């Protein structure tokens, strides 16, 4: 397989962007259910893109489980180092990153299935947050009612 300089530049830029984006401190107003759902979808898409971009240049024997294990470990390492950069480490962020890379690494022989897998995985974090929100409304209607004394307290 041909290794050209353009791939090295692309890999370097992708690595710098990955480290920069996942270590950049976020403002406090980015916390909450909507941002959590969006963040999960971004983790899925980012790690899927990284798995595909680098994986297409790897030998075939490294594209499946070995590449996924490396990416899942890298996602765990990045999440583990985030508290030292002003961000919070979340197991769900690791999970969505590992799931996004798995959606690519486990479907190398079926490109159409890969696209469906990654698209479906990108929809999972918002769907999961929507289910949790619905369960909160059902279990605690007084807290969710707009006119109640408890509404807007951000419990």
């Amino acid at each position: 397989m041909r290794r050209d300089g353009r791939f090295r530049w692309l890999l370097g830029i992708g690595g710098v962007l990955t480290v920069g984006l996942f270590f950049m401190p976020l403002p406090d107003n980015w916390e909450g259910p909507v941002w959590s759902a969006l963040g999960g979808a971004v983790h899925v898409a980012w790690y899927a893109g990284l798995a595909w971009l680098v994986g297409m240049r790897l030998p075939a024997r490294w594209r499946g489980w070995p590449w996924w294990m490396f990416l899942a470990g890298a996602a765990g390492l990045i999440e583990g180092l985030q508290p030292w950069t002003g961000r919070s480490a979340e197991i769900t962020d690791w999970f969505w990153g590992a799931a996004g890379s798995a959606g690519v690494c486990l479907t190398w022989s079926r490109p159409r299935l890969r696209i469906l897998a990654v698209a479906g995985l990108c929809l999972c974090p918002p769907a999961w947050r929507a289910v949790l929100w619905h369960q909160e409304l059902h279990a605690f209607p007084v807290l969710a009612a707009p006119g109640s004394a408890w509404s807007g307290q951000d419990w």
Side-chain angles (χ1 to χ4, degrees):
M1 184 167 290
R2 195 176 106 221
R3 307 272 185 214
D4 56 4
R6 184 175 36 166
F7 173 70
R8 288 188 188 134
W9 275 102
L10 205 57
L11 181 61
I13 291 170
V16 167
L17 283 175
T18 298
V19 170
L21 287 174
F22 290 129
F23 285 148
M24 179 179 64
L26 296 176
D28 288 338
N29 62 352
W30 281 28
E31 294 183 15
V34 172
W35 292 112
S36 174
L38 183 62
V42 167
H43 277 79
V44 169
W46 190 267
Y47 280 98
L50 194 61
W52 177 76
L53 177 68
V54 178
M56 69 180 178
R57 293 296 191 137
L58 292 175
R61 70 174 193 263
W62 290 99
R63 287 184 184 165
W65 285 104
W67 183 227
W68 179 78
M69 294 290 285
F70 177 81
L71 286 172
L77 180 66
I78 288 172
E79 286 300 319
L81 293 175
Q82 281 183 350
W84 284 284
T85 63
R87 294 191 53 176
S88 61
E90 294 186 23
I91 191 75
T92 55
D93 287 347
W94 169 82
F95 176 78
W96 294 126
S101 59
V104 172
C105 292
L106 302 180
T107 58
W108 277 109
S109 60
R110 298 181 174 169
R112 290 183 187 164
L113 182 61
R114 183 181 323 136
I115 292 168
L116 287 174
V118 172
L121 286 168
C122 281
L123 293 176
C124 286
W128 177 58
R129 294 304 297 184
V131 166
L132 290 178
W133 178 70
H134 175 71
Q135 289 174 342
E136 284 180 14
L137 288 178
H138 181 70
F140 305 106
V142 173
L143 295 178
S148 74
W150 298 98
S151 69
Q153 298 293 325
D154 196 24
W155 296 94

